[in-house]
Amino acid sequence: MTSTPSHHPSLPFGLRWEYDFWGPVPAWAATPNIATIEALSRQHLGADNLSVEFLAGGAFNKVYSIMIPSNNISDPKSYVFRATLPVEPFYKTASEVATLRLLRQCTSLPVPEVFAYDCTTKNELGFEWIIMEKIPGTRLKDLWPCMNLEQKKIVIERLGQFSKELREKCKFNAIGSLYQRTELSEGDLKVSVATDYNDFVIGPIVNASFFAGKRKPLTKRDRGPYRNDRVYLLALLKVEMEDKKLLLKLTSDKRAAGIQKAKHESLESDETDEDDDAEDAPEILENIQQLLEILPSIFSEDMQTEKFVLHHHDLNRSNIMVDHTTLEITGIIDWECITTVPAWEDTYPKMLLGEDMEEQPDPLVFGETDECRIERWEKWENTKLRKISDQAAGSGANNDKDACDKRGFREQLYLLEFSTKMVKDWIIEYESNKKYK
């Protein structure tokens, strides 16, 4: 089940990595040519008269609006062209297209229709790209601050119904990413897992934990698919371990050679990368080893019989489009890096996560600026909205002790780069609780 990466002599065209407080983030080393985008749009949409404008930029993408005039001047046809960075070449684009197509085929979730795409960089643009439907409506983010609790309940109840539909209609036998069978290579097909939908299979996972930064794609990565959550978590731990081992080796080689930069362009250090991060690497490796020792006590070795479900891990107010008058959800967007997950990882939408607060605080006054009062009110509102979500979804958010332990363990992998102390404290607390059970 191990996918061996190609060892590129340099980073893929257009991609560079920067490092902030939270770790590596992708950045554009080249900008997509808008004239080429126009030409591709004309070719694949069959329209000579169209205009293209830059719309927005995200972590991995640059998004452009395509407008095609129609006989009805007030209702031109609108599309989205999205160019994407090759952070996980081929697989990220291919899996997103497959996910969108399966959702449109098997569910009522309002997701964009894909009209054309290229999973490779071997095209005129030099980047992977997708042309898709432009979802009508307003971002929930722009309406939320002005909505009252009853209005918010309408949206959350609908999201809960969509969550229930996903759990019932999109069940799979492995953890990984969705692909159209015809897209995968023979090698990937050999390890892929069949689904109930003949055109689709579960293949290598597309997850930032496996590709973020310049080093991870150069290490040996088991990218699945995985038959149970224990193998999945083991793969996550090992990719972090291999990343830190490579970091220490590169740093040692640099010091031994007495030079300031790595010899190879693909491994050239940013000021905030290898020199600084190498100091924390031994402590991170120690944490990883301790987590590996704990792993068997939380994740069973037996093959799980449960099904795995699609989960939109980044379901926030920016990715939900609504009709501003009816509050009906018109679209759910940003399905890149979405994978199948075990039940314990399928929880509330990102915007509803947080601690419960049962006692209602004093209502906010119009124009309230006190951040503490606003935070308390939002915490109370979210407590109410989580209950609405539970009712609509037909189940709670998997809050039994085993699920909480598994989510707690998973969270430590996110924290490894951020705070080794927080990880150590969690390990100590877990082992102490286990000792006195």
Side-chain angles (χ1 to χ4, degrees), residues 163-180:
S163 177
K164 181 179 181 180
E165 186 176 1
L166 275 178
R167 291 172 187 167
E168 292 177 347
K169 295 183 178 179
C170 297
K171 298 178 181 179
F172 304 94
N173 294 321
I175 299 170
S177 294
L178 275 166
Y179 297 91
Q180 296 172 103

Side-chain angles (χ1 to χ4, degrees), residues 285-316:
L285 283 169
E286 181 181 339
N287 280 350
I288 291 173
Q289 186 57 47
Q290 291 176 312
L291 289 171
L292 283 169
E293 293 171 4
I294 290 174
L295 179 70
S297 66
I298 298 179
F299 298 91
S300 171
E301 190 172 7
D302 297 333
M303 295 292 281
Q304 294 185 348
T305 56
E306 70 169 301
K307 296 282 188 175
F308 305 103
V309 298
L310 275 178
H311 174 63
H312 196 314
H313 67 269
D314 194 25
L315 192 55
N316 59 60

